[in-house]
């Protein structure tokens, strides 16, 4: 599976959109992009995933570039409860391949 | 609500003790995983299992073993705990098909003295 690169940390003002980038320049054609987040002292929680098209759910939006070498997770109106570590993972689903989590981006939402 | 339950949130053990970390999922998932998480190192896979009685080594299996006698239960065993096994341990499960999304437990924080 391709590895990902994320900034170590980011800040965002409460109520503003949080845009978290992820670079996956070696992604292969059948690998999906998954995002998870981990709030302090809890297990990671699934947010969203996608292959090529942009995706939106009740938690976030996922924008994948046309060449699929990078993506951005958007939290449209960040709240204090969104303070967490965000992980970007690329993986072929339903295979024996592992989920590589890396160290993620630590997002701090500032009041 | 679907759940992955880890039996202990906090454990304190002594060097050399045998430690069992239990994980139970109620989603009938085929696949289960054990990770450990340490500051600056992210989540690292210890062992995983795709079916009952099956197990595969992850990236850091040394010092650990696992047991999967029933589909819903995946146990991590530290045969002789050492201080460098002090960590947060996370269990997860997923099902073949659909999004193949991982569902995690809340974690077990183990301290070995």
């Amino acid at each position: 599976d391709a590895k990902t690169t994320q900034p170590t940390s980011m800040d965002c003002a409460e109520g503003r959109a949080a845009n978290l980038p992820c670079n996956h320049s070696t992604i292969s054609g059948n690998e999906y992009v998954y995002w998870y987040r981990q709030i302090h002292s809890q297990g990671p929680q699934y947010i969203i995933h996608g292959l090529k098209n942009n995706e939106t759910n009740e938690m976030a939006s996922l924008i994948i570039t046309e060449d699929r070498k990078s993506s951005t997770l958007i939290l449209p109106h960040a709240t204090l409860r969104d303070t967490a570590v965000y992980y970007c993972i690329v993986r072929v689903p339903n295979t024996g391949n592992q989920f590589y989590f890396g160290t993620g981006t630590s997002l701090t939402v500032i009041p | 609500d679907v759940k992955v339950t880890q039996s202990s949130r906090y454990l304190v053990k002594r060097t050399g003790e045998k430690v069992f970390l239990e994980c139970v999922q109620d989603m009938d998932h085929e696949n289960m995983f054990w990770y450990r998480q340490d500051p600056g190192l992210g989540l690292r896979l210890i062992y995983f299992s795709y079916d009952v009685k099956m197990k595969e080594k992850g990236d850091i299996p040394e010092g650990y073993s696992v047991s999967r006698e029933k589909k819903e239960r995946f146990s991590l065993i530290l045969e002789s705990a050492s201080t460098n096994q002090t960590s947060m341990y996370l269990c997860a499960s997923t099902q073949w098909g659909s999004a193949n999304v991982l569902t995690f437990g809340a974690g077990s924080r183990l301290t070995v003295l």
Side-chain angles (χ1 to χ4, degrees), chain A residues 1-85:
Chain A
D1 288 313
K3 295 286 179 66
T4 62
T5 304
Q6 299 177 253
T8 303
S9 63
M10 294 179 63
D11 293 338
C12 177
E14 188 178 16
R16 304 297 293 269
N19 297 286
L20 292 96
C22 180
N23 182 286
H24 31 79
S25 58
T26 59
I27 193 170
S28 63
N30 57 353
E31 286 182 312
Y32 282 65
V33 180
Y34 292 80
W35 283 84
Y36 288 76
R37 74 177 183 185
Q38 185 176 23
I39 296 169
H40 184 61
S41 296
Q42 297 181 22
Q45 174 193 24
Y46 164 78
I47 301 173
I48 198 167
H49 76 287
L51 180 62
K52 293 182 187 177
N53 300 322
N54 298 337
E55 302 287 339
T56 296
N57 63 19
E58 66 278 4
M59 292 181 70
S61 295
L62 172 61
I63 308 298
I64 303 173
T65 58
E66 194 169 342
D67 63 6
R68 303 211 321 123
K69 294 182 183 298
S70 65
S71 61
T72 301
L73 179 76
I74 300 172
L75 309 177
H77 305 286
T79 70
L80 299 179
R81 288 178 295 179
D82 292 322
T83 292
V85 177

Side-chain angles (χ1 to χ4, degrees), chain B residues 70-108:
Chain B
K70 293 185 177 181
K71 190 176 186 180
E72 67 270 19
R73 187 179 297 270
F74 192 35
S75 303
L76 181 69
I77 304 156
L78 288 67
E79 293 289 342
S80 178
S82 63
T83 55
N84 63 12
Q85 292 178 311
T86 291
S87 187
M88 168 70 87
Y89 290 89
L90 291 159
C91 176
S93 71
T94 186
Q95 184 176 26
W96 295 121
S98 187
N100 200 204
V101 168
L102 279 174
T103 301
F104 280 86
S108 299

Side-chain angles (χ1 to χ4, degrees), chain B residues 26-71:
Chain B
D26 64 2
M27 298 166 282
D28 201 35
H29 284 175
E30 297 90 353
N31 312 309
M32 297 188 74
F33 303 79
W34 274 107
Y35 290 86
R36 65 176 282 177
Q37 184 173 31
D38 302 288
L41 296 177
L43 279 74
R44 293 179 292 166
L45 183 64
I46 305 171
Y47 267 98
F48 56 105
S49 169
Y50 290 125
D51 202 351
V52 176
K53 296 192 187 294
M54 292 183 66
K55 60 184 179 183
E56 297 284 342
K57 293 180 180 179
D59 295 323
I60 52 164
E62 296 78 19
Y64 303 94
S65 62
V66 290
S67 172
R68 188 143 181 227
E69 296 296 318
K70 293 185 177 181
K71 190 176 186 180

